[in-house]
Amino acid sequence: TQESINTTSNMKIVASVLALAGSAAAFAPASMPKFSTALQLTIDELPGALPPFEDIFDPLGLAEKADGNTLKRYREAEVTHGRVAMLAVLGFLAGEAVEGKSFLWDASVKGPAITHLSQVPPVFWSLLAIGIGAAEQTRAEIGWVEPENVPVDQPGLLREEYYPGDIGFDPLGLRPSDPAEFDIMATKELQNGRLAMLAAAGFMAQELVNGKGILENLQS
């Protein structure tokens, strides 16, 4: 019956998104080596600078004007946006690759990836919001000083021992214990994240221009 079909579809939605929400638990703090218990970053200490730039790419001079905590917030934002962008790029390509073939939503989601979310049932949005909210709350609890303990003139204060982006998520144990090797790995993540941010922006712009999916554009 139609009712049983709807029930099955909703169960698939709940199962898939709760898996996403449950993954937020993986962002809980883990026992990992720390390089410093009182970390104050400076421009010269920031990983992520590669040739042809001798220093970090900062055409607006934002980093030069920032104090240590503000610099840490800038890096936190860059790392986080880079990670989201890398997931977004994978989502674009994977979502379009399985178009019309996935068991989710009876394979009814079609078209460019930028239109996919508008095609899913409302219950998905609620569960997605719960998953994102849980992950963001966990990140805030790990990295930020509690609001009641933050001076009025230092909004958004990060914990002194917190390294930007270090939320303890390392299921494969890839994080190096050597500070120099850690900087190399951090630079690799930053560069991949920067590329992904440009790629995601390009994907969205391209699909808005001609209404075709990225894979379809590549194949035409």
Side-chain angles (χ1 to χ4, degrees), residues 105-190:
W105 308 294
D106 297 324
S108 61
V109 177
K110 296 179 173 62
I114 58 174
T115 68
H116 287 184
L117 284 179
S118 64
Q119 299 178 54
V120 299
V123 64
F124 175 84
W125 286 96
S126 299
L127 295 173
L128 182 63
I130 293 173
I132 293 174
E136 284 298 285
Q137 179 178 348
T138 301
R139 186 169 70 95
E141 291 175 349
I142 294 172
W144 272 261
V145 176
E146 294 77 6
E148 63 270 20
N149 298 325
V150 176
V152 177
D153 61 343
Q154 299 183 53
L157 185 63
L158 292 171
R159 299 186 187 278
E160 188 176 11
E161 70 279 5
Y162 177 68
Y163 188 93
D166 183 9
I167 53 178
F169 182 69
D170 184 23
L172 300 180
L174 299 177
R175 171 176 172 160
S177 57
D178 180 72
E181 293 181 1
F182 175 82
D183 282 351
I184 293 174
M185 180 170 284
T187 298
K188 291 178 179 178
E189 181 184 21
L190 285 164

Coordinates of all heavy atoms in Angstrom, one line a residue, residues 105-190:
W105 N 15.3 7.4 -1.1 CA 14.2 8.1 -1.7 C 13.7 7.6 -3.0 O 13.3 8.3 -3.9 CB 14.6 9.6 -1.9 CG 15.1 10.2 -0.6 CD1 14.4 10.4 0.5 CD2 16.4 10.6 -0.3 NE1 15.2 10.9 1.5 CE2 16.5 11.0 1.0 CE3 17.6 10.6 -1.0 CZ2 17.6 11.5 1.7 CZ3 18.8 11.0 -0.4 CH2 18.8 11.5 0.9
D106 N 13.8 6.2 -3.0 CA 13.3 5.5 -4.2 C 14.0 6.0 -5.5 O 13.4 6.0 -6.6 CB 11.8 5.6 -4.4 CG 11.0 5.0 -3.2 OD1 11.5 3.9 -2.7 OD2 10.0 5.5 -2.7
A107 N 15.2 6.4 -5.4 CA 16.0 6.8 -6.6 C 15.3 8.0 -7.3 O 15.4 8.0 -8.6 CB 16.3 5.7 -7.5
S108 N 14.6 8.8 -6.6 CA 13.8 9.9 -7.3 C 14.5 11.2 -7.4 O 14.1 12.1 -8.0 CB 12.5 10.1 -6.6 OG 12.7 10.5 -5.2
V109 N 15.7 11.3 -6.7 CA 16.4 12.6 -6.7 C 17.3 12.6 -7.9 O 18.1 11.7 -8.2 CB 17.3 12.7 -5.4 CG1 18.2 13.9 -5.5 CG2 16.5 12.6 -4.2
K110 N 17.1 13.6 -8.7 CA 17.8 13.7 -10.0 C 18.2 15.1 -10.3 O 17.9 16.1 -9.6 CB 16.8 13.3 -11.2 CG 16.4 11.8 -11.1 CD 15.5 11.5 -12.2 CE 15.2 10.0 -12.3 NZ 14.5 9.5 -11.1
G111 N 19.0 15.3 -11.4 CA 19.4 16.6 -11.8 C 20.8 17.0 -11.2 O 21.4 16.3 -10.5
P112 N 21.2 18.3 -11.3 CA 22.4 18.8 -10.8 C 22.4 18.7 -9.3 O 21.4 18.8 -8.6 CB 22.4 20.3 -11.2 CG 21.5 20.4 -12.4 CD 20.5 19.3 -12.1
A113 N 23.6 18.5 -8.7 CA 23.7 18.3 -7.2 C 23.2 19.5 -6.4 O 22.7 19.3 -5.3 CB 25.2 18.1 -6.9
I114 N 23.2 20.7 -7.0 CA 22.7 21.9 -6.2 C 21.2 21.8 -6.0 O 20.7 22.6 -5.2 CB 23.1 23.2 -6.9 CG1 22.6 23.3 -8.3 CG2 24.6 23.4 -6.9 CD1 22.8 24.6 -9.0
T115 N 20.5 20.9 -6.8 CA 19.1 20.8 -6.6 C 18.7 19.6 -5.8 O 17.5 19.4 -5.5 CB 18.4 20.7 -8.0 OG1 18.7 19.4 -8.6 CG2 18.8 21.8 -8.9
H116 N 19.6 18.8 -5.4 CA 19.3 17.5 -4.7 C 18.6 17.8 -3.3 O 17.6 17.1 -3.0 CB 20.5 16.7 -4.5 CG 21.0 16.0 -5.8 ND1 22.1 15.1 -5.8 CD2 20.5 16.2 -7.0 CE1 22.2 14.8 -7.1 NE2 21.3 15.4 -7.8
L117 N 19.1 18.7 -2.5 CA 18.6 18.9 -1.2 C 17.1 19.4 -1.2 O 16.3 19.1 -0.4 CB 19.4 19.9 -0.4 CG 20.8 19.3 0.2 CD1 21.5 20.4 0.9 CD2 20.5 18.1 1.1
S118 N 16.8 20.1 -2.3 CA 15.4 20.6 -2.4 C 14.5 19.5 -2.8 O 13.2 19.8 -2.7 CB 15.4 21.8 -3.4 OG 15.7 21.3 -4.7
Q119 N 15.0 18.4 -3.2 CA 14.1 17.3 -3.6 C 13.8 16.2 -2.5 O 13.0 15.4 -2.7 CB 14.7 16.6 -4.8 CG 14.9 17.5 -6.0 CD 15.6 16.7 -7.2 OE1 15.1 15.7 -7.6 NE2 16.7 17.3 -7.7
V120 N 14.6 16.3 -1.4 CA 14.4 15.3 -0.3 C 13.3 15.7 0.6 O 12.9 16.9 0.7 CB 15.7 15.2 0.4 CG1 16.8 14.7 -0.5 CG2 16.1 16.5 1.1
P121 N 12.6 14.8 1.3 CA 11.5 15.1 2.2 C 11.9 16.0 3.4 O 13.1 16.0 3.8 CB 11.1 13.7 2.7 CG 11.6 12.7 1.7 CD 12.9 13.3 1.2
P122 N 11.0 16.7 3.9 CA 11.3 17.6 5.0 C 11.9 17.0 6.3 O 12.7 17.6 7.0 CB 9.9 18.2 5.4 CG 9.1 18.1 4.1 CD 9.6 16.8 3.5
V123 N 11.5 15.7 6.5 CA 12.1 15.0 7.7 C 13.6 14.9 7.6 O 14.3 14.9 8.6 CB 11.5 13.6 7.8 CG1 11.9 12.7 6.7 CG2 11.9 13.0 9.2
F124 N 14.1 14.8 6.4 CA 15.6 14.8 6.2 C 16.2 16.0 6.7 O 17.3 16.0 7.4 CB 15.9 14.6 4.7 CG 17.4 14.7 4.4 CD1 18.2 13.5 4.6 CD2 18.0 15.8 4.0 CE1 19.5 13.6 4.3 CE2 19.4 15.9 3.7 CZ 20.1 14.7 3.9
W125 N 15.6 17.2 6.5 CA 16.2 18.5 6.9 C 16.3 18.6 8.4 O 17.2 19.0 9.0 CB 15.3 19.6 6.4 CG 15.5 19.9 4.9 CD1 14.7 19.4 3.9 CD2 16.5 20.6 4.3 NE1 15.2 19.8 2.7 CE2 16.3 20.6 2.9 CE3 17.6 21.3 4.8 CZ2 17.2 21.2 2.0 CZ3 18.5 22.0 3.9 CH2 18.3 21.9 2.5
S126 N 15.2 18.0 9.1 CA 15.2 18.1 10.6 C 16.4 17.2 11.1 O 17.1 17.6 12.0 CB 13.9 17.6 11.1 OG 12.8 18.4 10.7
L127 N 16.5 16.0 10.6 CA 17.6 15.1 11.1 C 18.9 15.6 10.7 O 19.9 15.5 11.5 CB 17.3 13.7 10.5 CG 16.0 13.0 10.9 CD1 15.8 11.7 10.2 CD2 16.1 12.8 12.4
L128 N 19.1 16.3 9.5 CA 20.3 16.8 9.1 C 20.7 18.0 10.1 O 21.9 18.1 10.5 CB 20.2 17.4 7.7 CG 21.5 18.0 7.1 CD1 22.6 16.9 7.0 CD2 21.2 18.5 5.7
A129 N 19.7 18.8 10.4 CA 20.0 19.9 11.4 C 20.5 19.4 12.7 O 21.4 19.9 13.4 CB 18.8 20.8 11.5
I130 N 19.9 18.3 13.2 CA 20.3 17.7 14.5 C 21.7 17.2 14.4 O 22.5 17.4 15.3 CB 19.3 16.5 14.8 CG1 17.9 17.1 15.1 CG2 19.9 15.8 16.0 CD1 16.9 16.0 15.4
G131 N 22.0 16.5 13.3 CA 23.4 16.0 13.1 C 24.4 17.1 13.1 O 25.5 17.0 13.8
I132 N 24.2 18.1 12.3 CA 25.1 19.3 12.2 C 25.2 20.0 13.5 O 26.3 20.3 14.0 CB 24.7 20.2 11.1 CG1 24.8 19.6 9.7 CG2 25.5 21.5 11.1 CD1 24.2 20.4 8.6
G133 N 24.1 20.2 14.2 CA 24.1 20.9 15.5 C 24.9 20.1 16.5 O 25.7 20.7 17.3
A134 N 24.8 18.8 16.5 CA 25.5 17.9 17.5 C 27.0 18.0 17.2 O 27.8 18.2 18.2 CB 25.1 16.5 17.4
A135 N 27.4 18.0 15.9 CA 28.8 18.1 15.6 C 29.4 19.5 16.0 O 30.5 19.6 16.5 CB 29.0 17.8 14.1
E136 N 28.6 20.5 15.7 CA 29.1 21.9 16.0 C 29.2 22.1 17.5 O 30.1 22.8 18.0 CB 28.2 22.9 15.3 CG 28.4 23.0 13.8 CD 29.8 23.5 13.5 OE1 30.1 24.7 13.7 OE2 30.7 22.7 13.1
Q137 N 28.2 21.6 18.3 CA 28.3 21.8 19.7 C 29.5 21.1 20.3 O 30.2 21.6 21.2 CB 27.0 21.2 20.3 CG 27.0 21.4 21.9 CD 25.7 20.8 22.5 OE1 24.7 20.6 21.8 NE2 25.7 20.7 23.8
T138 N 29.8 19.9 19.8 CA 31.0 19.1 20.3 C 32.2 19.9 20.0 O 33.1 20.0 20.8 CB 31.0 17.8 19.6 OG1 29.8 17.0 19.9 CG2 32.2 17.0 20.1
R139 N 32.3 20.5 18.7 CA 33.5 21.3 18.4 C 33.6 22.5 19.3 O 34.8 22.8 19.7 CB 33.4 21.7 16.9 CG 34.6 22.4 16.4 CD 34.6 22.5 14.9 NE 33.6 23.4 14.4 CZ 33.8 24.7 14.1 NH1 35.0 25.2 14.2 NH2 32.8 25.5 13.7
A140 N 32.5 23.1 19.5 CA 32.6 24.3 20.4 C 33.0 24.0 21.8 O 33.8 24.7 22.4 CB 31.2 25.0 20.4
E141 N 32.5 22.9 22.3 CA 32.9 22.5 23.7 C 34.4 22.1 23.8 O 35.0 22.3 24.8 CB 32.1 21.3 24.1 CG 30.6 21.6 24.4 CD 29.7 20.4 24.7 OE1 30.3 19.3 24.5 OE2 28.6 20.6 25.1
I142 N 35.0 21.6 22.7 CA 36.4 21.2 22.7 C 37.3 22.4 22.6 O 38.3 22.5 23.3 CB 36.7 20.2 21.6 CG1 35.9 18.9 21.8 CG2 38.2 20.0 21.4 CD1 36.0 17.9 20.6
G143 N 36.9 23.3 21.7 CA 37.8 24.4 21.3 C 37.6 25.8 22.0 O 38.5 26.5 22.2
W144 N 36.4 26.0 22.4 CA 36.1 27.4 22.9 C 35.9 27.4 24.4 O 35.4 26.5 25.1 CB 34.8 27.9 22.3 CG 35.0 28.6 21.0 CD1 35.0 29.9 20.7 CD2 35.2 27.9 19.7 NE1 35.2 30.2 19.4 CE2 35.3 29.0 18.7 CE3 35.2 26.6 19.3 CZ2 35.5 28.7 17.4 CZ3 35.4 26.4 17.9 CH2 35.6 27.4 17.0
V145 N 36.3 28.5 25.0 CA 36.1 28.8 26.4 C 34.7 29.1 26.7 O 34.0 29.7 25.8 CB 37.0 30.0 26.9 CG1 36.7 30.4 28.3 CG2 38.5 29.8 26.7
E146 N 34.1 28.6 27.8 CA 32.7 28.8 28.1 C 32.4 30.2 28.1 O 33.2 31.1 28.6 CB 32.4 28.1 29.4 CG 32.5 26.6 29.5 CD 33.9 26.1 29.6 OE1 34.9 27.0 29.7 OE2 34.2 24.9 29.5
P147 N 31.2 30.6 27.5 CA 30.9 32.1 27.5 C 30.9 32.8 28.8 O 31.4 34.0 28.8 CB 29.4 32.0 26.9 CG 29.4 30.7 26.2 CD 30.2 29.8 26.9
E148 N 30.6 32.1 29.9 CA 30.6 32.8 31.2 C 32.0 33.1 31.7 O 32.2 33.9 32.6 CB 29.8 32.0 32.2 CG 30.4 30.6 32.5 CD 29.9 29.5 31.7 OE1 29.4 29.8 30.6 OE2 30.0 28.3 32.1
N149 N 33.0 32.5 31.1 CA 34.4 32.7 31.5 C 35.2 33.5 30.5 O 36.4 33.7 30.6 CB 35.1 31.3 31.6 CG 34.5 30.4 32.7 OD1 34.0 30.9 33.7 ND2 34.5 29.1 32.5
V150 N 34.5 34.1 29.5 CA 35.2 34.9 28.5 C 35.1 36.4 28.8 O 34.0 36.9 29.1 CB 34.5 34.7 27.1 CG1 35.2 35.6 26.0 CG2 34.6 33.2 26.7
P151 N 36.2 37.1 28.8 CA 36.2 38.5 29.1 C 35.4 39.2 28.0 O 35.3 38.8 26.8 CB 37.7 38.9 29.0 CG 38.4 37.7 29.2 CD 37.6 36.6 28.7
V152 N 34.8 40.3 28.4 CA 33.9 41.1 27.5 C 34.6 41.5 26.2 O 34.1 41.5 25.1 CB 33.3 42.3 28.2 CG1 32.4 43.1 27.2 CG2 32.4 41.8 29.4
D153 N 35.9 41.9 26.4 CA 36.7 42.4 25.2 C 37.3 41.3 24.4 O 38.1 41.6 23.5 CB 37.7 43.4 25.7 CG 38.7 42.8 26.7 OD1 38.4 41.7 27.2 OD2 39.8 43.3 26.9
Q154 N 37.0 40.0 24.7 CA 37.6 38.9 23.9 C 36.6 37.9 23.5 O 36.6 36.7 23.9 CB 38.7 38.2 24.8 CG 39.8 39.1 25.2 CD 40.9 38.3 26.0 OE1 41.4 37.2 25.5 NE2 41.2 38.8 27.1
P155 N 35.6 38.3 22.7 CA 34.5 37.4 22.3 C 35.1 36.2 21.4 O 36.1 36.4 20.7 CB 33.6 38.3 21.5 CG 34.5 39.4 21.0 CD 35.5 39.6 22.1
G156 N 34.5 35.1 21.5 CA 34.9 33.9 20.8 C 36.3 33.4 21.2 O 37.1 32.9 20.3
L157 N 36.6 33.5 22.5 CA 38.0 33.1 22.9 C 38.2 31.6 22.9 O 37.4 30.8 23.4 CB 38.1 33.6 24.4 CG 39.5 33.4 25.0 CD1 40.6 34.2 24.3 CD2 39.5 33.7 26.5
L158 N 39.2 31.2 22.2 CA 39.6 29.8 22.1 C 40.4 29.3 23.3 O 41.1 30.2 24.0 CB 40.4 29.5 20.9 CG 39.6 29.6 19.5 CD1 40.6 29.5 18.4 CD2 38.5 28.6 19.4
R159 N 40.3 28.1 23.7 CA 41.1 27.6 24.8 C 42.6 27.7 24.5 O 43.0 27.6 23.4 CB 40.7 26.1 25.1 CG 39.3 25.9 25.4 CD 39.0 24.4 25.8 NE 37.6 24.2 26.0 CZ 36.9 24.4 27.1 NH1 37.5 25.0 28.1 NH2 35.6 24.2 27.1
E160 N 43.3 28.0 25.6 CA 44.8 28.3 25.4 C 45.5 27.1 24.8 O 46.4 27.3 24.0 CB 45.3 28.7 26.8 CG 46.8 29.2 26.7 CD 47.3 29.7 28.0 OE1 46.6 29.5 29.0 OE2 48.4 30.3 28.0
E161 N 45.1 25.9 25.2 CA 45.9 24.7 24.8 C 45.3 24.1 23.5 O 45.8 23.2 23.0 CB 45.8 23.6 25.9 CG 44.4 23.0 26.1 CD 43.5 23.8 26.9 OE1 43.9 24.9 27.3 OE2 42.4 23.3 27.2
Y162 N 44.3 24.8 22.9 CA 43.6 24.2 21.7 C 44.3 24.6 20.5 O 44.7 25.8 20.2 CB 42.2 24.7 21.7 CG 41.4 24.3 20.5 CD1 41.0 23.0 20.3 CD2 41.0 25.2 19.5 CE1 40.3 22.6 19.2 CE2 40.3 24.8 18.4 CZ 39.9 23.5 18.2 OH 39.2 23.1 17.1
Y163 N 44.6 23.6 19.6 CA 45.2 23.8 18.3 C 44.1 23.9 17.3 O 43.3 23.0 17.3 CB 46.2 22.8 18.0 CG 47.0 23.1 16.7 CD1 48.3 23.7 16.8 CD2 46.5 22.7 15.5 CE1 49.0 24.0 15.7 CE2 47.3 23.0 14.3 CZ 48.5 23.6 14.4 OH 49.2 23.9 13.3
P164 N 44.0 24.9 16.5 CA 42.9 25.0 15.5 C 42.7 23.8 14.7 O 43.6 23.3 14.0 CB 43.4 26.2 14.6 CG 44.3 27.0 15.5 CD 45.0 26.0 16.4
G165 N 41.5 23.3 14.8 CA 41.1 22.1 14.0 C 41.3 20.8 14.7 O 40.9 19.7 14.2
D166 N 42.0 20.8 15.8 CA 42.4 19.6 16.5 C 41.2 19.2 17.5 O 41.3 19.5 18.7 CB 43.7 19.7 17.3 CG 44.1 18.5 18.0 OD1 43.5 17.4 17.8 OD2 45.1 18.5 18.8
I167 N 40.2 18.5 16.9 CA 39.1 18.1 17.7 C 39.2 16.6 18.2 O 38.2 16.1 18.7 CB 37.8 18.3 16.9 CG1 37.9 17.6 15.6 CG2 37.5 19.8 16.7 CD1 36.6 17.7 14.7
G168 N 40.4 16.0 18.0 CA 40.6 14.7 18.5 C 40.1 13.6 17.5 O 40.0 12.4 17.9
F169 N 39.7 13.9 16.3 CA 39.2 12.9 15.4 C 40.4 12.4 14.5 O 40.8 13.0 13.6 CB 38.2 13.6 14.5 CG 37.5 12.6 13.5 CD1 36.7 11.6 13.9 CD2 37.8 12.7 12.1 CE1 36.1 10.7 13.1 CE2 37.2 11.8 11.2 CZ 36.4 10.8 11.7
D170 N 40.8 11.2 14.9 CA 41.9 10.6 14.1 C 41.8 9.1 14.2 O 42.6 8.4 14.9 CB 43.3 11.0 14.7 CG 44.5 10.5 14.0 OD1 44.3 10.1 12.8 OD2 45.6 10.4 14.6
P171 N 40.7 8.5 13.6 CA 40.4 7.1 13.8 C 41.5 6.2 13.2 O 41.6 5.0 13.7 CB 39.1 6.9 13.0 CG 39.1 8.1 12.0 CD 39.8 9.2 12.7
L172 N 42.3 6.6 12.3 CA 43.3 5.8 11.7 C 44.7 6.0 12.3 O 45.7 5.4 12.0 CB 43.4 6.0 10.2 CG 42.2 5.7 9.4 CD1 42.4 6.0 7.9 CD2 41.7 4.3 9.6
G173 N 44.8 6.9 13.3 CA 46.0 7.2 14.0 C 47.1 7.7 13.1 O 48.3 7.4 13.2
L174 N 46.7 8.6 12.2 CA 47.7 9.1 11.2 C 48.5 10.4 11.7 O 49.5 10.7 11.1 CB 47.0 9.5 9.9 CG 46.2 8.4 9.2 CD1 45.5 9.0 8.0 CD2 47.2 7.3 8.8
R175 N 48.0 11.0 12.8 CA 48.6 12.2 13.3 C 50.1 11.9 13.8 O 50.3 11.1 14.6 CB 47.8 12.8 14.4 CG 48.5 13.9 15.1 CD 47.7 14.6 16.1 NE 48.5 15.5 16.9 CZ 47.9 16.5 17.6 NH1 46.6 16.7 17.7 NH2 48.7 17.3 18.3
P176 N 51.0 12.6 13.2 CA 52.4 12.4 13.6 C 52.7 13.0 15.0 O 52.0 13.9 15.5 CB 53.2 13.2 12.6 CG 52.3 13.5 11.5 CD 50.9 13.6 12.1
S177 N 53.6 12.4 15.7 CA 53.9 12.9 17.1 C 55.0 13.9 17.0 O 55.2 14.7 17.9 CB 54.4 11.7 18.0 OG 55.5 11.0 17.4
D178 N 55.8 13.9 15.9 CA 56.8 14.9 15.7 C 56.2 16.2 15.2 O 55.5 16.2 14.2 CB 57.8 14.4 14.7 CG 59.0 15.4 14.4 OD1 59.8 15.5 15.3 OD2 59.0 16.0 13.3
P179 N 56.5 17.4 15.8 CA 56.0 18.6 15.4 C 56.2 19.0 14.0 O 55.4 19.6 13.3 CB 56.6 19.6 16.4 CG 57.0 18.8 17.6 CD 57.3 17.5 17.1
A180 N 57.4 18.7 13.5 CA 57.8 19.1 12.1 C 56.9 18.3 11.1 O 56.4 18.8 10.1 CB 59.3 18.9 11.8
E181 N 56.8 17.0 11.4 CA 55.9 16.2 10.5 C 54.5 16.6 10.6 O 53.7 16.5 9.6 CB 56.1 14.7 10.9 CG 57.5 14.1 10.6 CD 57.6 12.7 11.0 OE1 56.6 12.1 11.5 OE2 58.7 12.1 10.8
F182 N 54.1 17.0 11.8 CA 52.7 17.4 12.0 C 52.4 18.7 11.1 O 51.4 18.8 10.5 CB 52.4 17.8 13.5 CG 51.0 18.4 13.7 CD1 49.9 17.5 13.8 CD2 50.9 19.7 13.8 CE1 48.7 18.1 14.0 CE2 49.6 20.3 14.0 CZ 48.5 19.5 14.1
D183 N 53.4 19.6 11.1 CA 53.2 20.8 10.3 C 53.1 20.5 8.8 O 52.3 21.1 8.0 CB 54.4 21.8 10.5 CG 54.3 22.5 11.8 OD1 53.2 22.5 12.4 OD2 55.3 23.2 12.1
I184 N 53.8 19.4 8.3 CA 53.8 19.0 6.9 C 52.4 18.5 6.7 O 51.8 18.8 5.6 CB 54.8 18.0 6.7 CG1 56.2 18.6 6.7 CG2 54.6 17.3 5.3 CD1 57.4 17.6 6.6
M185 N 51.9 17.6 7.6 CA 50.5 17.1 7.4 C 49.5 18.1 7.4 O 48.5 18.1 6.6 CB 50.3 16.0 8.4 CG 48.9 15.3 8.3 SD 48.7 13.9 9.3 CE 49.6 12.6 8.3
A186 N 49.6 19.1 8.3 CA 48.7 20.2 8.5 C 48.6 21.0 7.2 O 47.6 21.5 6.7 CB 49.0 21.1 9.7
T187 N 49.8 21.2 6.6 CA 49.9 22.0 5.3 C 49.2 21.2 4.2 O 48.5 21.9 3.4 CB 51.4 22.2 5.0 OG1 52.0 23.0 6.0 CG2 51.5 23.0 3.6
K188 N 49.4 19.9 4.2 CA 48.7 19.1 3.1 C 47.2 19.3 3.3 O 46.5 19.4 2.3 CB 49.1 17.7 3.3 CG 50.6 17.4 2.9 CD 50.9 15.9 3.0 CE 52.4 15.7 2.6 NZ 52.7 14.2 2.8
E189 N 46.7 19.2 4.5 CA 45.2 19.3 4.7 C 44.8 20.7 4.3 O 43.7 20.8 3.7 CB 44.9 19.1 6.2 CG 43.4 19.1 6.4 CD 43.0 19.0 7.9 OE1 43.8 19.2 8.8 OE2 41.8 18.7 8.2
L190 N 45.5 21.7 4.7 CA 45.1 23.1 4.3 C 45.1 23.3 2.8 O 44.2 23.9 2.3 CB 46.1 24.1 5.0 CG 46.0 24.3 6.5 CD1 47.2 25.0 7.0 CD2 44.7 25.2 6.8

